[in-house]
């Protein structure tokens, strides 16, 4: 769509939060535009066909807390099939390199760590989650690896109170045609101006003036949904400045998770929806989902500092690491059966600069600070503003709906 010169509500960003806000304002009678820097909607939800018969979610893939996830109902309405196969994360196919007894020992150590963390959070003191690792426990590096997948960061940079605030119902489902594809369908009718990067928001006058790469417009209300790293680095500037928002965003950095998709020859040799951990005694390793949905492929997942190192090493580094780790487990013969198809690069993505937010130790309260409206005209949404479903796509969407409700209440009060 072409950029209007005036609107009632401008929404910055067409990810889950921005689309959630736009959908919630659909029948409000207010004029709305969503300003999106990319040439597509969805943000950190992005499905590609890595090969003609291989669906690959470069960003979100799991409907976490499926029984409380608002995208489950939306998927039903839009006729997207949901796969309820249990995630294989606690398994090791063929028991290779990680026999059942070791696995049980690890799970015990992991659950004990979560138990200590839960207990510690009751004190209300906000420490680094790493403080609740048992000193000298041999599984600590692997518990840290799990944190790099869940938080995108090692435990030394994760707030214990934030970790405990997350609501995990342990029900994890998937969208067969891709979470990103679902997001695209959800936003299909939203009034989005693509390729329209917002550079400056001037809220000094009665109406908010917005400068974009496509020109200027003014709005009565603005909902900002861009990722925290972009607020923290002031990639988008506010006038007057909003130091409390910048400070909050800096306390909620995006951790890093990256994925690689490998095509698999002779797939029958491996179980459908199987799992392999690349190693057991270190943090720097990949996790491998074998034949997701039964497809002829393996999806690798890397998190935290190791994911950053691999991404910085350039295109193909995730695939090379994945093939090395899988070959070390299944035999060198597997090298010729695996072919790199695609990999994500979220840290270098200028409109994400990371994967999902976690609170730094001492900063758990910053989610509420980031979410708070300013002067009844600027509103904030995005996964990082969700009190209990942060770091997820449904948390982002629900936050957009919450910001839309705040806009409506403020309009009604004028
Ligand atoms: C590898 C990976 C795996 C993940 N796995 C899962 C998972 O399994 N389940 C799950 O629920 N979540 C997962 N997530 C997290 C989930 O994808 C995000 O939490 C969610 O999509 C964030 O939505 P959002 O609307 O808050 O932000 P975004 O999706 O980032 O949307 C913000 C939008 O703002 C745009 N933008 C940025 N700057 C500007 C600007 N200046 N002007 C205009 N537009 C701008 C961006 O292009 C983007 O489209 C994963 C993420 C990654 C990267």
């Amino acid at each position: 769509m072409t950029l209007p010169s005036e609107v009632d509500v401008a929404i910055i960003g067409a990810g889950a939060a921005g689309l959630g806000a736009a959908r919630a304002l659909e029948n409000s009678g207010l004029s709305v535009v969503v300003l999106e820097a990319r040439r597509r909607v969805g943000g950190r939800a992005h499905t590609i066909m890595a090969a003609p018969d291989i669906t690959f979610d470069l960003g979100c893939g799991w409907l976490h807390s499926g029984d409380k996830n608002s995208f489950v109902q939306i998927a039903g309405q839009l006729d997207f099939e949901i796969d309820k196969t249990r995630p294989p994360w606690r398994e090791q196919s063929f028991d290779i390199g990680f026999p059942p007894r070791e696995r049980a020992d690890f799970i015990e150590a992991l659950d004990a760590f979560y138990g200590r963390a839960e207990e510690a959070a009751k004190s209300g003191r906000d420490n680094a989650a790493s403080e609740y690792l048992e000193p000298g426990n041999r599984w600590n590096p692997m518990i840290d690896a799990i944190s790099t997948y869940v938080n995108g960061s090692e435990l030394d940079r994760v707030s214990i109170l934030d970790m405990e605030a997350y609501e995990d119902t342990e029900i994890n489902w998937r969208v067969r045609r891709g979470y990103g594809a679902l997001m695209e369908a959800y936003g299909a009718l939203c009034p989005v101006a693509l390729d329209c990067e917002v550079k400056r928001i001037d809220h000094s006058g009665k109406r908010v003036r917005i400068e974009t790469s496509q020109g200027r417009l003014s709005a009565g209300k603005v909902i900002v949904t861009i990722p925290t790293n972009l607020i923290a680095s002031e990639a988008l500037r506010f006038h007057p400045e909003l130091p409390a928002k910048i400070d909050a965003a800096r306390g909620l950095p995006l951790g890093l998770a990256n994925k690689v998709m490998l095509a698999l020859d002779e797939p029958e040799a491996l179980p459908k929806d199987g799992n392999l951990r690349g190693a057991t005694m270190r943090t720097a390793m990949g996790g491998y989902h074998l034949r997701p949905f039964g497809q002829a492929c393996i999806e690798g997942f890397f998190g935290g500092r190791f994911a950053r190192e691999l991404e910085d090493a350039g295109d193909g580094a995730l695939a090379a690491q994945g093939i090395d780790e899988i070959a070390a487990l299944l035999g060198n013969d597997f090298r010729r059966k695996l072919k790199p198809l695609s990999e994500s690069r979220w840290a270098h993505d200028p409109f994400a600069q990371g994967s999902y937010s976690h609170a730094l130790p001492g900063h758990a309260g910053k989610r509420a600070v980031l979410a708070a409206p300013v002067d009844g005209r600027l509103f904030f949404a995005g996964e990082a503003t969700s009190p209990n479903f942060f770091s997820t796509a449904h948390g982002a969407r629900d936050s957009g709906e919450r910001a839309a409700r705040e806009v409506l209440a403020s309009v009604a009060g004028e």
Side-chain angles (χ1 to χ4, degrees):
M1 69 177 286
T2 49
L3 206 61
S5 57
E6 287 185 19
V7 284
D8 294 323
V9 186
I11 299 169
I12 321 295
L19 298 176
R23 292 295 305 259
L25 293 172
E26 234 164 36
N27 300 315
S28 63
L30 298 171
S31 58
V32 175
V33 67
V34 188
L35 307 171
E36 169 54 52
R38 299 177 200 265
R39 295 197 170 131
R40 60 168 181 84
V41 302
R44 284 171 272 165
H46 186 32
T47 305
I48 61 166
M49 293 311 292
D53 51 359
I54 298 179
T55 308
F56 182 27
D57 269 312
L58 286 158
C60 55
W62 293 92
L63 293 152
H64 292 310
S65 301
D67 50 340
K68 296 195 171 179
N69 186 316
S70 50
F71 274 115
V72 169
Q73 196 189 352
I74 292 165
Q77 287 159 357
L78 294 172
D79 213 13
F80 275 68
E81 181 196 338
I82 290 186
D83 185 303
K84 297 190 174 176
T85 309
R86 279 168 66 90
W89 302 323
R90 289 194 166 200
E91 294 162 22
Q92 180 86 348
S93 296
F94 312 116
D95 297 333
I96 286 180
F98 198 20
R101 205 158 39 82
E102 291 282 279
R103 241 156 46 223
D105 201 35
F106 164 66
I107 299 288
E108 200 179 306
L110 180 68
D111 289 343
F113 163 72
Y114 286 139
R116 283 191 299 277
E118 191 181 337
E119 202 46 46
K122 288 181 188 155
S123 77
R125 249 180 300 118
D126 198 6
N127 298 328
S130 54
E131 290 189 21
Y132 303 97
L133 290 170
E134 184 185 43
N137 191 299
R138 67 186 180 124
W139 295 113
N140 286 349
M142 195 135 120
I143 296 174
D144 223 9
I146 304 291
S147 173
T148 69
Y149 304 149
V150 174
N151 303 303
S153 170
E154 286 72 5
L155 292 163
D156 59 343
R157 282 174 58 82
V158 173
S159 143
I160 188 84
L161 293 188
D162 196 54
M163 197 174 102
E164 285 309 311
Y166 182 77
E167 198 179 332
D168 183 3
T169 67
E170 298 190 11
I171 292 177
N172 299 286
W173 295 330
R174 282 172 297 166
V175 185
R176 179 60 189 90
R177 280 152 61 198
Y179 212 153
L182 172 62
M183 200 75 71
E184 207 181 319
Y186 176 63
L189 297 178
C190 292
V192 184
L194 293 174
D195 203 8
C196 184
E197 181 183 353
V198 176
K199 312 258 193 191
R200 191 168 185 265
I201 295 179
D202 179 344
H203 58 111
S204 60
K206 191 164 181 313
R207 284 181 65 78
V208 183
R209 283 174 303 189
I210 303 169
E211 284 174 30
T212 81
S213 54
Q214 303 275 2
R216 298 199 167 125
L217 72 156
S218 78
K221 314 270 176 196
V222 174
I223 300 177
V224 179
T225 76
I226 66 172
T228 50
N229 283 5
L230 300 174
I231 296 179
S233 67
E234 298 186 72
L236 190 170
R237 292 192 163 269
F238 293 92
H239 176 76
E241 286 181 1
L242 297 174
K245 296 296 181 191
I246 293 168
D247 177 65
R250 287 185 181 156
L252 302 167
L254 300 197
L256 187 61
N258 267 322
K259 298 184 191 175
V260 60
M261 184 56 90
L262 304 168
L264 172 67
D265 263 2
E266 301 166 31
E268 328 57 64
L270 297 183
K272 175 179 176 296
D273 284 311
N275 188 62
L276 288 177
R277 267 163 220 278
T280 53
M281 288 298 165
R282 57 174 200 259
T283 306
M285 58 145 169
Y288 302 95
H289 192 151
L290 310 181
R291 300 183 59 205
F293 304 115
Q295 300 178 125
C297 61
I298 298 181
E299 184 180 300
F301 198 97
F302 300 87
R305 293 177 189 123
F306 190 47
R308 176 89 217 195
E309 215 177 280
L310 290 171
E311 189 178 329
D312 286 348
D315 266 340
L318 268 79
Q321 179 69 27
I323 292 171
D324 280 350
E325 287 188 8
I326 294 166
L329 290 166
L330 297 177
N332 245 335
D333 213 29
F334 260 84
R335 286 185 185 278
R336 64 171 180 81
K337 296 188 191 167
L338 296 169
K339 190 177 97 205
L341 290 177
S342 177
E343 57 192 51
S344 65
R345 300 180 60 74
W346 290 105
H348 289 84
D349 180 321
F351 301 118
Q353 295 185 11
S355 300
Y356 30 85
S357 71
H358 61 94
L360 295 174
H363 295 263
K366 297 289 166 65
R367 297 200 186 275
V369 177
L370 187 63
V374 174
D375 292 339
R377 288 185 310 159
L378 301 184
F379 299 83
F380 290 80
E383 54 89 4
T385 68
S386 169
N388 55 338
F389 288 135
F390 46 82
S391 77
T392 70
H394 64 289
R397 195 213 71 87
D398 296 354
S399 77
E401 209 170 74
R402 182 259 309 143
R405 280 196 304 272
E406 290 170 352
V407 164
L408 292 173
S410 111
V411 170
E414 282 170 356

